[in-house]
C-alpha cells in the first residue's frame, strides 16, 4: 500500500517562501513519478509541477520561475520549493505518485496519478 504524507504548509505573507515535503512509504520510491497539484474550494484540482523517474520536470505556467520541484530517492521524499508566493497561490497542495517506466516523461494530468496524499494548506496573504 502506497502512502504519501505532505508537510510544510502554513500561512505566510506575499513574497515569502515555503518548502513543501512529501514523504512516501510502502513502495520503491524511485519507481514512481511524482507531482504536486493544488485545489481551492469550488475549483478543480490544478497541476503545479511534476518530476519523472529520470528527473525530467514540468511546471505550470503560473508557477514557472518561482517554484522548484526536486526529489531525494534515498529519503523517499519529493519537495516543492515555493518562492515569491502570491495570494493566488493559496490552496490545499497535494502530492501525487504514479508507477511508470523510466522513459515516460512528467505529466500534468491528475487522472494519470494513482496515489494521493491528504493535502497541506498554504495560505498567502497580501
Amino acid at each position: 500500500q502506497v502512502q504519501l504524507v505532505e508537510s510544510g504548509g502554513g500561512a505566510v505573507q506575499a513574497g515569502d517562501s515555503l518548502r513543501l515535503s512529501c514523504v512516501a512509504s510502502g513502495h520503491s520510491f524511485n519507481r514512481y513519478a511524482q507531482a504536486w497539484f493544488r485545489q481551492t474550494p469550488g475549483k478543480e484540482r490544478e497541476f503545479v509541477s511534476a518530476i519523472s523517474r529520470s528527473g525530467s520536470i514540468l511546471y505550470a505556467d503560473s508557477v514557472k520561475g518561482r517554484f522548484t520541484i526536486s526529489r531525494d530517492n534515498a529519503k523517499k521524499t519529493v519537495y516543492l520549493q515555493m518562492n515569491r508566493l502570491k495570494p493566488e497561490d493559496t490552496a490545499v497542495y497535494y502530492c501525487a505518485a504514479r508507477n511508470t517506466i523510466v522513459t515516460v516523461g512528467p505529466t500534468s494530468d491528475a487522472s494519470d496519478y494513482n496515489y494521493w496524499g491528504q493535502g497541506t494548506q498554504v495560505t498567502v496573504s497580501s
Side-chain angles (χ1 to χ4, degrees):
Q1 185 72 16
V2 176
Q3 293 185 333
L4 303 172
V5 179
E6 303 99 331
S7 63
V12 296
Q13 298 286 323
D16 286 350
S17 298
L18 280 174
R19 188 177 79 157
L20 304 183
S21 299
C22 173
V23 180
S25 62
H27 70 290
S28 300
F29 181 80
N30 60 359
R31 298 180 65 177
Y32 285 72
Q34 307 276 354
W36 289 94
F37 290 78
R38 64 188 182 187
Q39 190 169 23
T40 54
K43 293 187 177 182
E44 291 188 358
R45 198 160 291 188
E46 176 191 20
F47 170 74
V48 176
S49 183
I51 185 166
S52 71
R53 285 184 56 187
S54 65
S56 296
I57 289 172
L58 189 63
Y59 293 105
D61 288 342
S62 59
V63 306
K64 201 172 294 183
R66 299 188 298 122
F67 291 10
T68 302
I69 191 171
S70 61
R71 59 189 295 162
D72 185 331
N73 288 342
K75 295 183 177 179
K76 295 186 176 182
T77 302
V78 61
Y79 303 98
L80 186 68
Q81 177 67 44
M82 305 186 295
N83 298 330
R84 303 198 306 276
L85 282 161
K86 303 176 181 179
E88 50 264 43
D89 294 319
T90 295
V92 177
Y93 282 71
Y94 296 91
C95 176
R98 60 192 292 250
N99 190 351
T100 183
I101 60 176
V102 70
T103 55
V104 172
T107 175
S108 61
D109 189 342
S111 65
D112 288 336
Y113 293 87
N114 310 104
Y115 304 100
W116 294 84
Q118 82 290 346
T120 185
Q121 176 71 47
V122 172
T123 302
V124 185
S125 57
S126 58

